[in-house]
Amino acid sequence: MRPGVEPRKPFRDNPRLILLGILLLVGALIVMITLADRSAQLSPDFLSEVVLYALSAADLTMLVALAFVLARNIIKLLVERRRALPFARFRAKLVAVLLGMTLIPAVLVLIVGSELIRNSADRWFSAPIDEVLGSASRIASDYYLERQTVVSDNAQRMARNLAAVDLSADDVSAARTLIVPEVTQKRIGMVEVYRIVPGNGNRPAVVPVVDVATPALPRTYVRASADRLAARVAASGEEGRALEPIGDGGELVRATAVIRARGTGTAQGVVVASDYLTGELAAHFRRITEAYEGYSQLRVLKRPLAGVYLSFFLMVTLMILVSATWMGLYLAKRITRPVQVLAEAAREIGAGHLDHRVQRETADEFGSLVDAFNAMAGDIAASQRKLERSRIELERKHLDVEARRRYVETILDRIATGVVSIDSGGRVSTMNSAASRLLGLPAAAVGQAATDVFARGDLKPVAGLLRAGAHPAEQSAHEIALARGGREVHLAAAATPLHGDGSGSDGVVLVFDDVTPLIRAQRVAAWKDVARRLAHEIKNPLTPIQLCAERMRRHFAGAPEATKELVDECTGTIVGEVESLKALVDEFSQFARMPAPRTVPSDLHALLDETLALYDGLFQGIRIEKRFVEELPQVRVDPEQIRRVLINLVDNAVEALGGVERGPVPVDGREDLILIATHHDSPNSVVRIIISDNGPGIPAGDREKLFMPYYSTKRRGSGLGLAIVRRIIAEHGGSIEVADNSPSGTKFTIELPC
Amino acid sequence: MAGTESTRRRVLVAAAVCLLVAGLRAAEIIRVTPLAKNGRIFVSFEMRDAFNDDIRAVIQSGLTTTFSYDIDLRRSATLWFDKTMSSATVSASVRYDTLTRRYQLSRMQDGRVEESRVTEDAEMVRQAMTTFEQLPLFSTTPLEPNAEYYVRVRARTRPRNAWFFWPWDRDAASGVARFTFIP
């Protein structure tokens, strides 16, 4: 629809169209009544070919229209009821009542009216009327026949008399003499004599000879009709009779007779005798005849006539029925439609279409209701808009909070501090990845009871911490040590109870910090201090001891042989041990004075290749294998220190496999293998160097002590090698771990940041 | 008063059809006899038992009664409607004069008055209305030699069948005669 164009109103809502329809209906009724009234002027053919067809067609049309209107609306009501549309039941009841109020009286009137028409048709006829009309008609007919017979007898008598007269003669006085007495004696009204002459072809012609008429006969008759009658008789040779109306309403009863010549019997003329019936008498006879014919026709057509009336009656009834039915349906709709529209609008509002409004159609109470409804819809729309704005604001705040929450989660997830929150029900509500890693708990622990989660043997210190933290007023902080993968992890743990706005507890937060490197560093620092003191306190007396021992050997150089041997042996032992002590003190000094690494971007693979090349061909029964990754980024390291680390670790591996003292073929038949592998962990930005052997391995209890100074499993080790290794790696920002190799042996893993 | 009487009379005329049809329905057989000679198809037909008492009563009441006959020369078709080669219409009308006790008879063929006469003989009226002898209706020119044709005659009345609720003809009288055209 084009904007701005008002939609066309349906028929039911257009009073002008309704008025026009009513006027058309009334007009049709008037036409029908007029037609019935003027049917007298209509010809029988028109009545039977047009009027009855039109009536029947109109009946059928009305019947079809009625059936259509009823069927359409009944189906519509059924569909509405099935769809459970509002007011469908009410409307169906209303329509049923209105239809009942229309159909039942109309059908009753139709039945009663039809019966009345039939009864009336039966009463049209009765025996006395039959007798009267029949007798009158017979009398009139007999009178006519009698008059014709009399006229015919006179004509024949005159024809016989005229047989002796020469009709071809010029003098017709003889003929006139014969016929004048017939007229003057009033036995006949008019006599006309014709002479037969040969005509064209075989058909003879007639020529008027003489005619005599009574003065009482009106002069309005036409001679031509007598001429035609005479010619027909002359042609056929048979007598004829005719009834001819004349101008004043009267009639001439005519009869003819052939004049035959005496002796030969040849037809030589024709006599036409006419008797005059006055107009009044003829009119009487005509009325009698018409009355009788009308009555006869009425009787033979009694049943069809009743049918015609029934057809009229049926059509009017159907017209009323169609109109009343439509009107009933229309009224039902007019009553229910406004309410239905309001219900529909309420559904639209309920569905969220708050801009939906109802168009006011009437100015009555329904119109006021529509106004109130529209006002209510406007208020709801305004409230809805306010709510929508609040919702948007709330949503925006929620998004902010959510972003903040995600931010905090990200921080918690990224920090090295482990955080576990326990809700008021004692269940683990959150746990960050650091906590999961430090405590060795899976992510599935979230949601489980904390007592169950921390019931594991290695987590019992955490359970104790949790119990301590459960007291609302206390914040407990402890250092706890957990065994993790065969090594000890030191955690600084704190349990903090959570308090909400109320007085009750909202749970506990456990915070864990891995202080293992700190403790290690503290220990290394302590050992460095010890080493420096030892080096200082021990190295100083060694030189005098050594000098004294050498002086003693020189002093006893001249002594007896036995003494000299004893002194040489003792002083040699003293000098040797002093040298050993000096070497030991040098190592301690080196450990204590290790310089800070000078890192440069280095290619670890090249550094590894260069370092491992020192071992080529050195050991016959030990295979050193390299498994490097294809791509390894440059790493900032001090090449000398890293080379020292590698040599230390490879030497330890060789030592674990038997060292240089072992033969080319192992005793147990297995091949000794030292595997050096590299790995790049790009997500964590670290490079790993794994040095493993398939030797006897290290007991789990000794692994943590391996990196402590002065701890050695070797007979002649100083116990500082792995301590120096750990220190170098730590000063590069990395870490070193030891673990069991699979299936046997030891595996050292170095992680260096890249 | 005279108007009311006249109205009733006119309506009676229209309703008379019902009786005519009732009479015709009892005599629905028309005997048809075609004859080909001298380049024409001569058709004779007779509607038997058409003049029953009801028809006579209608005629005696003074109503002009017309029997119309539609005569078709047709050729049968196997898979389609039969083909109408030629058609003609003849009719016979009669009006009884109660006063003179005479019947005014007339016959027409395709709209032309062929015959008109007055008679007092009811039997002659019956014959004139129902029996037609050797009417030269069709030419043999369009006919194929040795082909089979048939002549169908259907009778109608006027005023026509006019049952008050369904005035249309339902079962007009008819007759058919088949013949093989041999020149």
Side-chain angles (χ1 to χ4, degrees), chain A residues 59 119 257 340 345 348 400 439 448 487 489 635 664:
Chain A
D59 285 346
N119 290 336
Q340 204 168 355
E348 289 288 329
D400 289 345
L439 300 178
Q448 296 181 8
R487 64 188 180 89
V489 176
V635 183

Side-chain angles (χ1 to χ4, degrees), chain A residues 587-707:
Chain A
E587 280 193 27
F588 272 60
S589 298
Q590 191 178 10
F591 176 69
R593 295 197 305 268
M594 187 169 288
R598 289 177 290 183
T599 59
V600 293
S602 307
D603 182 357
L604 275 184
H605 283 169
L607 187 61
L608 284 169
D609 287 338
E610 184 184 329
T611 306
L612 294 175
L614 299 174
Y615 295 92
D616 286 349
L618 224 61
F619 310 107
Q620 291 181 353
I622 299 173
R623 183 163 63 90
I624 298 176
E625 184 179 329
K626 296 181 281 188
R627 288 184 191 171
F628 296 165
V629 292
E630 291 182 359
E631 295 285 336
L632 203 63
Q634 296 257 319
V635 183
R636 289 189 68 88
V637 294
D638 183 336
E640 286 304 321
Q641 290 190 1
I642 293 300
R643 185 179 293 113
R644 183 176 181 180
V645 166
L646 292 173
I647 289 171
N648 198 313
L649 290 176
V650 173
D651 283 349
N652 282 346
V654 170
E655 193 75 22
L657 293 171
V660 293
E661 296 161 358
R662 73 188 303 279
V665 178
V667 177
D668 55 3
R670 67 176 169 82
E671 182 188 29
D672 291 331
L673 176 67
I674 298 173
L675 181 65
I676 291 91
T678 57
H679 177 69
H680 179 210
D681 186 357
S682 56
N684 291 318
S685 299
V686 293
V687 170
R688 290 192 184 93
I689 303 169
I690 300 114
I691 299 159
S692 60
D693 63 69
N694 58 351
I698 299 170
D702 296 340
R703 284 179 199 156
E704 184 56 26
K705 300 173 187 171
L706 280 178
F707 299 102

